[in-house]
Amino acid sequence: MPKDNVVVGLDIGTTKVVAVVAEVTLQGRLNIIGLGETPSGGLRKGIIVDIENTARAIEKAVEQAERMSGCRISSAFVGLTGPHIGSINNRGVVAVTGEDGEVGPEDVERVLQAARVIPLPADRRIIHVLPRQYIVDGYDGIMDPIGMSGSRLEVETQIVTAAGAAVQNTLKSVQRAGLAIEELVLNPLASAEAVLQQAEKELGTVVVDIGGGTTEIAVISQGCLWFAAVLPIGSEHITSDLAVGLRTPLTQAEAIKKEHGCVLAELVAENEFIEVPAVGGKEKKRVPKKMLAAIIEPRVEEIFTLVRREINGSHFQGLLPGGVVLTGGGALLEGITQLAGEALAMPVRLGWPENSGGLADMVASPAYATAVGLVNYGAGRLAHTQAAAGREAIWENFWARLKNWWRELF
């Protein structure tokens, strides 16, 4: 049976579809209670190209998660990625209309709506309007302006946009699998939720999620998203390079990459060899392990060169003392943090999903960062909704008691 305190994250990736089910405790802690994972065959570079195949993969992943968790899954927070993703900084301004000049929830809603007014092509859709800070009568750095006094309310936002066709294909695939979408969530934003500590979010940190078909970038500063981009290149390209360079099937190249892959030739001993199956079922051949690194290193260098270009082009004016946090399945290659540090000229660490209990060991890998981040995001939304419902219930109770008192009085 569905439960009110259960959230589901659905990561529709180029190489795999992952469904994570988590239970939110009364203390706000996440307990992972279900995981489903299946190969994905309907995407290319993060974009859905086959709705039927994608829907079938979603169904399989959800069925696995349902069996493990014992919960019926009817809706999920769904990740969205692809090179069509764009981000824009914008500002909204409104006059405060509350009594005695007090900022109310309706003023906050109006100023966020004002920030949404940007010139967009007909084929683009707004996915997120994320407030970075509010400004009341010129005083900035305000995160929650409700209850403050003033006459003018401003907000600085990060607006995330996506191609309308890509959004529609995602909606169709999920709905065809029998699920409702709670909310579409930007993948790198979800990954940041899973792998960053609060101090890193405040100081300024770059999250780089290397997936199968894409590499996702998010600049997080002062606790908010400042910039996001998605590159159409990922660990699948490394697999393809190995398949061509070693003259072996793609499936074998993927297995070799995961087991023996290293991005720096200097980390590999001269006398290390591996067995590589040849195309066409011929006998295996012995290949120096250094040869793998020689094939992998240029591709990974290319990825980080493009990442550096995106960061430099983001026009972020602040510092990034938190450095770079690498995550995603492609971040598991040996030596990748060292190469990333040299290419990006920043401190680099590997990011793992944290701050969850239950079956957390099953998702304790950078490969599950996005899926775990989606349930983290969903838990935050659930808490916000419950808090709003609680405030509404308090007011309803207050007015009911006032009416009863009035009847008793007269």
Side-chain angles (χ1 to χ4, degrees):
M1 295 294 291
K3 299 178 182 178
D4 293 336
N5 65 330
V6 167
V7 291
V8 180
L10 182 63
D11 175 19
I12 308 172
T14 305
T15 56
K16 67 182 186 300
V17 174
V18 178
V20 171
V21 186
E23 188 176 41
V24 185
T25 66
L26 293 175
Q27 294 76 31
R29 181 176 172 80
L30 274 181
N31 285 331
I32 307 296
I33 60 175
L35 170 67
E37 181 180 356
T38 188
S40 174
L43 287 91
R44 295 287 182 275
K45 299 180 181 179
I47 298 175
I48 293 173
V49 295
D50 188 327
I51 290 176
E52 288 298 331
N53 270 343
T54 304
R56 281 196 294 270
I58 293 170
E59 285 177 349
K60 289 178 183 177
V62 168
E63 284 172 6
Q64 291 177 20
E66 285 179 332
R67 284 197 299 270
M68 184 178 294
S69 65
C71 297
R72 183 176 63 82
I73 297 173
S74 57
S75 62
F77 288 85
V78 179
L80 185 69
T81 188
H84 57 89
I85 294 293
S87 67
I88 306 166
N89 293 309
N90 198 37
R91 179 186 288 247
V93 184
V94 296
V96 176
T97 58
E99 292 183 8
D100 301 323
E102 186 173 295
V103 178
E106 63 282 353
D107 296 310
V108 173
E109 182 62 29
R110 285 192 303 112
V111 78
L112 289 174
Q113 289 296 328
R116 293 176 66 98
V117 181
I118 56 174
L120 274 183
D123 62 342
R124 302 291 295 178
R125 284 185 56 175
I126 293 177
I127 303 301
H128 293 292
V129 178
L130 303 168
R132 288 209 305 271
Q133 67 168 343
Y134 293 92
I135 304 166
V136 178
D137 288 354
Y139 294 96
D140 60 5
I142 300 167
M143 303 311 296
D144 184 3
I146 294 177
M148 299 188 69
S149 295
S151 60
R152 176 187 173 95
L153 177 64
E154 301 173 61
V155 65
E156 291 181 359
T157 62
Q158 173 69 204
I159 298 177
V160 179
T161 67
V167 172
Q168 285 300 319
N169 289 335
T170 302
L171 295 175
K172 287 178 181 178
S173 299
V174 176
Q175 290 166 355
R176 199 159 294 185
L179 293 180
I181 295 179
E182 294 279 357
E183 190 175 334
L184 285 174
V185 184
L186 180 67
N187 270 13
L189 178 63
S191 298
E193 285 288 329
V195 303
L196 291 188
Q197 301 292 337
Q198 188 58 39
E200 290 174 320
K201 294 179 183 179
E202 294 295 335
L203 286 171
T205 305
V206 181
V207 177
V208 178
D209 188 324
I210 305 175
T214 59
T215 295
E216 301 157 354
I217 307 160
V219 177
I220 309 292
S221 181
Q222 296 179 340
C224 306
L225 180 71
W226 209 95
F227 170 78
V230 179
L231 302 173
I233 184 172
S235 60
E236 267 193 345
H237 295 78
I238 300 171
T239 303
S240 297
D241 291 348
L242 285 174
V244 173
L246 301 177
R247 297 187 181 134
T248 191
L250 280 169
T251 53
Q252 297 295 332
E254 178 69 15
I256 291 168
K257 180 188 74 175
K258 288 181 176 180
E259 188 173 352
H260 304 287
C262 180
V263 302
L264 289 171
E266 63 194 58
L267 299 179
V268 182
E270 294 286 350
N271 59 350
E272 288 189 74
F273 290 83
I274 62 169
E275 298 282 335
V276 177
V279 177
K282 298 178 182 179
E283 292 184 1
K284 293 183 178 181
K285 55 186 177 182
R286 293 181 79 236
V287 172
K289 199 173 174 182
K290 267 189 178 296
M291 183 177 176
L292 267 68
I295 295 171
I296 294 172
E297 186 173 348
R299 179 65 77 174
V300 177
E301 281 183 341
E302 179 193 7
I303 291 173
F304 288 127
T305 298
L306 294 173
V307 168
R308 184 179 60 197
R309 186 180 303 168
E310 289 291 338
I311 295 171
N312 292 340
S314 69
H315 304 297
F316 179 71
Q317 300 297 322
L319 299 175
L320 294 167
V324 176
V325 177
L326 286 183
T327 192
L332 291 170
L333 288 168
E334 182 185 354
I336 196 166
T337 55
Q338 183 177 335
L339 180 60
E342 295 170 0
L344 300 175
M346 284 192 280
V348 178
R349 75 169 179 88
L350 196 60
W352 302 68
E354 298 177 4
N355 303 322
S356 58
L359 305 174
D361 58 317
M362 297 189 65
V363 293
S365 167
Y368 298 112
T370 299
V372 175
L374 288 168
V375 294
N376 282 341
Y377 182 94
R381 285 296 194 197
L382 180 64
H384 179 76
T385 302
Q386 289 176 342
R391 288 193 296 268
E392 187 176 342
I394 289 171
W395 278 108
E396 287 178 355
N397 187 37
F398 169 76
W399 287 115
R401 283 188 295 167
L402 185 62
K403 288 177 183 177
N404 289 336
W405 175 78
W406 188 261
R407 290 194 194 100
E408 291 172 3
L409 189 62
F410 296 99

